[in-house]
Amino acid sequence: MNVKYMYSFLAVIVLFLIAYVGTEAVGLQWLFGVLIPYAALLVFLVGFIRKVMGWARSAVPFRIPTTCGQQRTLPWIRPNSIDNPSTAGGVVVRMFLEIVAFRSLFRNTRMTTKPDGRIAYQWEIFLWLGALAFHYAFAVVVLRHLRFFLEPVPAPIKLLETVDAFFQFGLPVVYLSGVVLLIAVAYLALRRVFIPMVRYISLANDFFPLFLIFGIAFTGILMRYFSKVDILSIKALTMGLVSFSFPDTAVLKGIDGLFYGHLFFVSVLLAYFPFSKLMHLGGIFLSPTRNLPNDTRMHRHVNPWNYPVHVHTYQEYEDDFREKMVEAGLPVDKPLAPAEAEKE
Amino acid sequence: MNDKGKIVTGLVIFAALVSFPFWYNLGKAAPPPEVVLTDKAKAAKECVLPKDEIRTEHMQLLDVWRDTQVRDGQTVYINAKGKSYIMSLSNTCLDCHSNYKDFCDRCHVYASVDPYCFDCHIDNPKETK
């Protein structure tokens, strides 16, 4: 038993019960359906911008050439212009690939000890695979949900739904992204529970978002395929949220508590986002080891937090002591002025 | 030196993307559509299942009907009230609700669902027995 994941797990269950009981028993549909989502979106946007602006205020560091390829040097040595870029274009390509393909994670290795005591490093691809599946499935799920927030639903969203439901099994047709999301997030959570080294470094704030997203996917799948909810009332509510013209309270009361649990999970995720590790959504763009070209030998980097230092240059030193230097027979850059020389 | 200009540009794009649904629907309320019942549907008064259930579960009922019909060869469905219906989208459902555009499509379009049932069943409304 580990308090870090048990507390996170219990927190998610309690959150669901708060919303479910709050709507089904207490009747706080306005609170959970309208007020909390608005508050959460506001916290998300303001918190996100504040956080990133805090990062923006800090100075750009010296280039950190943690590289994965040959640096640009002599003309006859072929440089790796993507993994060790020296130009802005190369950096753009490197950042793009990092963001869409998680190349840093692809290089993940695992250290093991062989039976004879030797240490070996293995290429470990499953974290990368799990992360890729998770992020892309989540992205598709989020984009698909735009059908509840846009009227009329634009063609690209419909196309995405068609592709997502490509295999046409089940009714309503099963969306692959939902299933992949649930499996991937379960893998990423169980990995932290069952691999001892990863469990050791996992904190409650690693488990909580995973369980929360699992809860979101789980309640979503439950609503779509098993315990049915009235989709038209839900779209009436979501369209009310984005157009500020809300449906009657009777419509809100008609929606099942399961939906409010789902919506409350999403609200909690949004409000929690700016204060958590999930800020890597914005942070990935500002990772200094990825977004700076390795051009330390081409451009002079002036330390941005340099304060003005009073420097006594050699020229000033010579001005101070020229006569004495000439007297002592030391070489000087600037000879003595003629008047002074005559005095000699 | 810092990259404030670039970062602010990125943040503006991000905020615009996140708030996109607010711009897209600007000022347009989109209440759920009203479906039109045909005279025949009105006369029948009740559907195969109670209104709330048929509204959320009709697609699963049809899925079960299809499987029962095709795999088990049963053709008659008896509901909780003991009333029996022929298990057929074209001959039972679309018999009363013959106004596809003003009934089925209204909600389906609003909720952006595009069931493949109607790939066949709308151009060929009457199955041959």
Side-chain angles (χ1 to χ4, degrees), chain A residues 48 52-53 56 60 147 149-152 161 168 171 225 228-230 232 235-236 239 241-243 245 304, chain B residues 1-4 7-8 11 14 21-22 24-25 28-30 32 55-57 59-60 107 110-113 116:
Chain A
F48 196 100
V52 175
M53 285 316 290
V60 175
R147 78 175 161 122
F149 297 96
L150 307 174
E151 180 62 34
E161 284 172 3
Q168 291 196 336
L171 252 181
Y225 306 103
K228 314 290 285 183
V229 289
D230 184 2
L232 289 186
K235 184 153 182 181
M239 286 309 296
L241 285 176
V242 292
S243 64
S245 52
Chain B
M1 187 189 112
N2 57 33
D3 284 339
K4 232 177 202 168
I7 294 172
V8 169
L11 276 178
F14 175 74
F22 290 94
Y24 185 84
N25 302 297
K28 280 183 292 171
R55 189 179 278 176
T56 56
E57 285 171 25
M59 72 299 281
Q60 278 168 334
C107 295
Y110 185 66
S112 176
V113 286
Y116 56 81

Side-chain angles (χ1 to χ4, degrees), chain A residues 132-259:
Chain A
L132 207 64
F134 167 76
H135 281 88
Y136 274 98
F138 206 175
V140 171
V141 168
V142 169
L143 287 176
R144 266 206 288 104
H145 274 74
L146 283 176
R147 78 175 161 122
F148 295 113
F149 297 96
L150 307 174
E151 180 62 34
V153 182
I157 304 292
K158 286 188 175 167
L159 181 69
L160 185 69
E161 284 172 3
T162 314
V163 173
D164 203 5
F166 182 74
F167 290 106
Q168 291 196 336
F169 61 93
L171 252 181
V173 187
V174 173
Y175 283 139
L176 298 177
S177 57
V179 180
V180 172
L181 176 63
L182 200 65
I183 293 172
V185 76
Y187 167 71
L188 292 177
L190 291 177
R191 172 183 163 273
R192 287 189 181 275
V193 175
F194 286 115
I195 303 177
M197 293 82 85
V198 186
R199 185 172 59 216
Y200 183 71
I201 58 165
S202 295
L203 302 172
N205 60 15
D206 294 313
F207 287 113
F208 179 68
L210 286 170
F211 290 146
L212 192 64
I213 293 168
F214 187 89
I216 291 172
F218 189 74
T219 47
I221 286 177
L222 216 54
M223 277 191 290
R224 181 171 166 86
Y225 306 103
F226 302 102
S227 168
K228 314 290 285 183
V229 289
D230 184 2
I231 203 83
L232 289 186
S233 304
I234 288 173
K235 184 153 182 181
L237 169 60
T238 53
M239 286 309 296
L241 285 176
V242 292
S243 64
F244 302 102
S245 52
F246 305 101
D248 300 334
T249 311
V251 175
L252 295 191
K253 298 249 186 230
I255 306 175
D256 194 84
L258 188 57
F259 167 74

Side-chain angles (χ1 to χ4, degrees), chain B residues 45 50 110 120:
Chain B
K45 282 212 169 63
Y110 185 66
C120 306

Side-chain angles (χ1 to χ4, degrees), chain B residues 63-74:
Chain B
D63 200 26
V64 170
W65 277 13
R66 179 182 62 182
D67 289 354
T68 323
Q69 169 95 259
V70 173
R71 295 177 192 169
D72 306 340
Q74 289 181 30

Side-chain angles (χ1 to χ4, degrees), chain A residues 71-72 79-82 84-91 293-295 298-299:
Chain A
Q71 181 180 5
R72 189 176 133 90
N80 190 331
S81 56
I82 291 171
N84 197 342
S86 59
T87 59
V91 167
N294 186 6
D295 56 1
M298 298 163 216
H299 298 288

